[in-house]
Amino acid sequence: MSLPYKYFAFISYSRKDSRVAAWLQRRLEWFRFPVKLVAVERRPPHERYVRPIYRDKTNLEVTDEHYWMNIRRALEESRYLVVLCSPHAAGSEPVNMEVAHFLESHGGDASLLVPVIVSGNVMSADADAALCPALRALGGTLTDRNLPTMVSDATTEEQGAWEDGFVSLIAYLLRLERGAVGDHIQRETKRQAAVLRRWLVAVGVLALAAIGAGVVAWLKQQEAVRQKIMAQESEARALHNLGLAHTMRDRSQELNLFFIGDLRTKLRALGRLDLLEEATRRVVEYHEQIPPELAHEPGMLRARAMAMDYSGQIAHNQGDAALAVQRLEASHAAWSQMIAANAGDVESVEGFAINCRMLGEALQSAGKLQEALKQYEQGCEALEGLHAKNEAGEAQLNRLQSTLRVVQGKARFRLGDHAAALRDLDAAADLARKATEARPKDRANWEKVVEAFDELALHYLRIDDHPAALKQAKAAVEAAEVLIKLDIENANGWYIAAGSYGSLLMAQAAAKDWPAAVEAAETQLMWRKRYFQRDTLNPAAEVLLARAHDDLGFALTYTREGERAVEEFSEAVKILAGLIQRHPSRNDWRRDLGLVFKRRADLFYEAEGWELALRDYDNSLRMCRLLAKAAPEDVDAHTRLANTLTAKGETQSKMGDLDGAQQTYEEGLGALKEMPQDHPEVAARLKGLKAAMAALNAARSTAPAPVTPKTGMPTGR
């Protein structure tokens, strides 16, 4: 075969993986590769983009020749073969034939084969196998590679998992370091963001109402997609023929991918995911216009469920818990309908379980903990049913179940059921360990291990079992180090490593090993800064950075470095206040800000800076009262309020305001009145309030003179 090749790569896939294949082709062909970094002999035929890419649905020519003859020719004219690997592909005879012919026509050079894992087990030859026989026959030649993976789970969004696999694929095809590809994507995203910002200025803010037409017009290739969508909306109203259902389903999936996939990636780079709400509204409206006779077709029903999941998740991220619950309940009904029709359909059951987790979290944000718990239990039961039937890959099911058990355990604890919470978290850790044993090189499995150990550490801290907390936190850090070694340039690994060091910091603080706690806090801050620098326009990365500054300030409080601690707290306050100003609906960030104010106030109190302490306690209480009112069942919100009221009352007492202290303590008792009295945190707060009131009564009998307020900066504890 003569060079150059007609196609840079051929995508081989099962029809059941058509959605990811379509996304990957579009992502590859519109990726501007870093020309100066790529050796001439490694460059694609196109001078700027990774194209052309062959996929049968877009490139197969209409000729008199047999279908297979066209495919054979395209394989021979392709430089690389990208195989989307899943149990569907492993059992597909066409995929196996394509791999075999490609190897035959390329001199058996396996380095030109690039398996991309979509689902399944790479090492298995059973029902959950990801590799077809022709790939398995290559043995360690393939399986010893760090293969690109596009596997999503209950906490990693599908789009994020696909993008992560895409970066690894590009790095292999162009022979670049993965970090260099990631850096290039960041530069390209910022460049495109600058173009979009200029466009937004030109058309004005009011034009954002037409985001479906305006932002889509931002990139040339997306204009064609918009035209298809516009034509399709008109066509949908006239459809009465069930034979057209498959065509409409494919277009529906394309619509989901574009609006809530590609568009989300661009708007995230601007830190303007709020603008995505208009796009998701258009997707939802599109599905509502589908004729009733087509709406219950399985593929269409799945597309609708995914669209509503996406839109519900976006509403939740924007702080609108009520809208999130409404949309996620709609998708929950669709998923339920699918598994009722076919309880053994793995993808439907997994989609249902993921929806249960998202709906549960939205219900928690709405203060409905009991309803949230029911959702988590439904998700776990559905996955256990698949386990019993052995109808899916065990590692993936264990990973999904682990995630659900974690959120279920957290909800049980907040409802005061400590024993059940511990059982859930122990089960989560066990499931995650089993997943890593089955697939030790799968990063997603190690992420679940870290998450489970982290939550166990925090749980033991809440019940004052400090040795157990330290043990679990160290296990989380060890697992995070394994995760980092699997891919040092993966930003999600930095995020998870930072969280594990945060848990270790709290466990070491509980053990009063303050030098070690400061070291853990500094390591956490290092990873958080690295994560934020990779995506400086991402509000989620920014809030994590604020929390790391807060944690370091907390640890420094106990090492006689008061001024440095105040600096860290103040940096956290500045970041969080700015975020809340830009995103006023985010109550979780208000909780964080309330905690930082409380910690800084505690530091001022210890330094006898009463006025400064009282000011920050009042700032903290504004946040605590709002959160407790929004979630009347939330034990954590009410115990935080009571704890801060206790601290404020003690400050008022120190300043001689005994009547004010009395009122403050009474408010604290009222905050705990409806909470379960046997809950460890509630009992601890009640004990603290009663002791403070006893001290206040003793102070009244001696009637001390008011203390002159001090406002100086602290130098230590």
Side-chain angles (χ1 to χ4, degrees):
M1 179 173 54
S2 60
L3 295 175
Y5 299 108
K6 181 177 179 180
Y7 303 105
F8 187 60
F10 181 112
I11 299 178
S12 177
Y13 63 101
S14 162
R15 286 293 171 270
K16 293 184 179 180
D17 296 321
S18 295
R19 200 163 57 88
V20 63
W23 178 90
L24 183 60
Q25 181 187 24
R26 184 168 62 252
R27 187 71 178 92
L28 284 166
E29 291 197 318
W30 287 99
F31 177 72
R32 289 167 59 98
F33 67 92
V35 176
K36 293 181 180 179
L37 299 182
V38 181
V40 174
E41 65 274 14
R42 294 291 179 187
R43 295 175 186 173
H46 195 281
E47 61 182 10
R48 287 298 296 142
Y49 294 94
V50 181
R51 60 173 74 155
I53 303 295
Y54 184 94
R55 183 170 70 91
D56 56 358
K57 279 197 174 183
T58 57
N59 299 85
L60 190 62
E61 298 175 359
V62 179
T63 69
D64 293 333
E65 292 182 323
H66 188 273
Y67 169 88
W68 176 240
M69 296 304 296
N70 279 320
I71 293 294
R72 283 169 58 97
R73 183 183 303 109
L75 286 164
E76 292 164 5
E77 294 175 342
S78 298
R79 180 169 184 174
Y80 292 102
L81 177 62
V82 176
V83 187
L84 298 187
C85 299
S86 70
H88 303 309
S92 169
E93 183 60 26
V95 170
N96 195 60
M97 290 171 63
E98 287 166 0
V99 172
H101 185 71
F102 182 86
L103 284 171
E104 180 184 348
S105 62
H106 287 70
D109 188 351
S111 69
L112 301 177
L113 278 172
V114 194
V116 178
I117 310 305
V118 176
S119 62
N121 187 344
V122 175
M123 306 305 295
S124 174
D126 299 325
D128 65 337
L131 304 183
C132 66
L135 289 177
R136 288 201 301 272
L138 297 172
T141 305
L142 282 185
T143 55
D144 288 347
R145 286 196 220 162
N146 190 11
L147 301 177
T149 301
M150 291 182 166
V151 181
S152 60
D153 59 29
T155 57
T156 303
E157 294 181 9
E158 182 178 69
Q159 187 71 20
W162 288 4
E163 184 68 19
D164 191 53
F166 167 76
V167 172
S168 297
L169 173 61
I170 282 291
Y172 184 85
L173 294 176
L174 303 181
R175 297 301 192 270
L176 296 173
E177 292 292 329
R178 196 178 188 283
V181 175
D183 291 342
H184 172 72
I185 290 174
Q186 288 295 311
R187 289 192 297 271
E188 276 295 294
T189 300
K190 290 178 180 178
R191 183 189 66 79
Q192 293 174 357
V195 172
L196 180 57
R197 278 194 294 270
R198 289 195 295 271
W199 182 85
L200 289 174
V201 171
V203 301
V205 175
L206 292 177
L208 291 177
I211 190 169
V215 178
V216 176
W218 171 31
L219 293 177
K220 182 179 178 181
Q221 86 281 13
Q222 293 172 351
E223 175 63 23
V225 176
R226 187 182 72 84
Q227 294 295 338
K228 289 182 181 179
I229 294 166
M230 296 292 289
Q232 185 176 330
E233 289 176 340
S234 298
E235 178 186 350
R237 288 186 289 271
L239 280 175
H240 297 288
N241 184 354
L242 287 174
L244 297 175
H246 291 294
T247 300
M248 197 164 188
R249 178 196 60 209
D250 290 344
R251 292 181 178 180
S252 174
Q253 291 175 345
E254 182 180 80
L255 180 65
N256 286 347
L257 276 172
F258 171 67
F259 266 129
I260 315 179
D262 295 352
L263 187 57
R264 178 175 53 183
T265 301
K266 301 298 183 289
L267 290 177
R268 177 185 284 120
L270 293 174
R272 294 302 307 275
L273 283 177
D274 55 304
L275 302 182
L276 197 56
E277 175 59 29
E278 175 67 16
T280 58
R281 183 186 64 78
R282 289 173 62 85
V283 175
V284 171
E285 287 179 353
Y286 171 82
H287 284 284
E288 289 173 348
Q289 293 171 2
I290 293 172
E293 61 269 27
L294 297 184
H296 297 293
E297 190 271 336
M300 192 66 70
L301 197 61
R302 184 185 303 277
R304 172 178 167 78
M306 292 176 63
M308 298 303 288
D309 274 346
Y310 280 134
S311 59
Q313 191 175 42
I314 290 164
H316 191 208
N317 289 342
Q318 296 304 317
D320 193 340
L323 180 60
V325 169
Q326 178 186 338
R327 290 177 174 174
L328 290 167
E329 284 180 340
S331 58
H332 188 78
W335 288 116
S336 299
Q337 187 175 340
M338 282 185 275
I339 62 175
N342 185 0
D345 181 44
V346 175
E347 291 185 6
S348 295
V349 175
E350 289 178 352
F352 175 79
I354 293 170
N355 169 267
C356 286
R357 192 260 308 169
M358 292 191 292
L359 178 54
E361 290 176 338
L363 287 165
Q364 277 192 240
S365 296
K368 300 177 180 179
L369 290 179
Q370 291 286 3
E371 293 180 38
L373 189 58
K374 289 179 182 177
Q375 291 301 321
Y376 300 144
E377 290 171 345
Q378 283 186 30
C380 287
E381 289 172 5
L383 292 174
E384 286 167 0
L386 282 185
H387 256 309
K389 297 176 183 178
N390 293 316
E391 292 185 357
E394 184 175 359
Q396 184 171 351
L397 286 179
N398 283 335
R399 186 168 65 238
L400 287 169
Q401 277 191 286
S402 175
T403 299
L404 277 163
R405 286 297 189 116
V406 165
V407 291
Q408 182 172 286
K410 291 164 71 175
R412 289 192 197 280
F413 188 89
R414 290 175 66 175
L415 286 167
D417 193 345
H418 159 224
L422 184 58
R423 286 196 298 272
D424 280 329
L425 294 174
D426 277 334
D430 186 54
L431 288 162
R433 280 194 295 263
K434 288 179 179 177
T436 58
E437 289 168 2
R439 297 179 64 180
K441 292 185 179 181
D442 190 329
R443 294 182 65 261
N445 293 336
W446 285 102
E447 290 172 5
K448 296 299 105 184
V449 171
V450 179
E451 179 187 35
F453 283 137
D454 271 343
E455 288 301 329
L456 273 171
L458 294 174
H459 179 83
Y460 281 120
L461 283 172
R462 295 186 189 107
I463 61 173
D464 293 328
D465 188 344
H466 299 160
L470 187 59
K471 178 181 177 181
Q472 299 297 335
K474 288 181 176 178
V477 167
E478 290 175 2
E481 290 174 351
V482 174
L483 180 63
I484 290 291
K485 288 178 182 177
L486 287 174
D487 187 354
I488 187 63
E489 293 300 328
N490 187 284
N492 198 46
W494 307 341
Y495 163 83
I496 291 169
S500 69
Y501 277 99
S503 299
L504 180 61
L505 149 70
M506 301 306 293
Q508 288 168 330
K512 302 193 185 309
D513 187 352
W514 297 112
V518 169
E519 183 179 351
E522 289 174 337
T523 305
Q524 177 189 218
L525 182 58
M526 179 268 292
W527 285 119
R528 291 296 188 214
K529 284 181 176 177
R530 191 169 182 180
Y531 183 71
F532 175 67
Q533 288 163 0
R534 173 65 67 89
D535 194 0
T536 56
L537 295 174
N538 184 351
E542 194 172 1
V543 77
L544 291 171
L545 181 62
R547 290 171 183 168
H549 281 293
D550 172 47
D551 284 345
L552 180 54
F554 165 73
L556 290 167
T557 300
Y558 295 89
T559 58
R560 304 192 65 80
E561 297 182 73
E563 289 188 6
R564 187 180 167 202
V566 169
E567 290 175 2
E568 296 295 336
F569 288 140
S570 299
E571 185 65 24
V573 165
K574 181 175 72 174
I575 295 172
L576 289 167
L579 282 166
I580 292 169
Q581 186 176 13
R582 300 196 302 273
H583 306 273
S585 62
R586 292 302 297 262
N587 278 345
D588 51 341
W589 297 348
R590 283 191 171 84
R591 180 195 62 201
D592 293 334
L593 182 56
L595 176 61
V596 180
F597 277 132
K598 167 69 165 57
R599 285 179 169 175
R600 192 170 68 177
D602 290 343
L603 186 55
F604 288 139
Y605 178 92
E606 293 296 330
E608 300 184 0
W610 314 122
E611 273 193 356
L612 292 172
L614 193 61
R615 180 199 65 188
D616 271 355
Y617 285 135
D618 281 332
N619 286 333
S620 179
L621 283 169
R622 281 201 298 274
M623 309 297 162
C624 293
R625 290 186 181 110
L626 185 152
L627 295 170
K629 183 178 180 180
E633 293 180 329
D634 192 337
V635 174
D636 183 63
H638 286 77
T639 54
R640 283 178 184 270
L641 174 58
N643 189 30
T644 307
L645 286 165
T646 303
K648 178 185 176 180
E650 290 172 346
T651 306
Q652 291 171 310
S653 182
K654 289 286 187 181
M655 297 175 71
D657 183 6
L658 303 187
D659 290 339
Q662 178 76 25
Q663 292 176 359
T664 301
Y665 293 146
E666 288 173 355
E667 183 185 351
L669 290 172
L672 299 175
K673 185 177 180 180
E674 301 300 325
M675 296 295 104
Q677 304 296 293
D678 58 346
H679 188 285
E681 282 291 313
V682 175
R685 298 286 76 81
L686 283 171
K687 182 179 179 181
L689 277 165
K690 290 175 181 177
M693 293 188 78
L696 179 64
N697 291 330
R700 284 185 185 280
S701 65
T702 57
V707 177
T708 302
K710 297 184 180 181
T711 59
M713 292 290 287
T715 57
R717 195 172 184 281

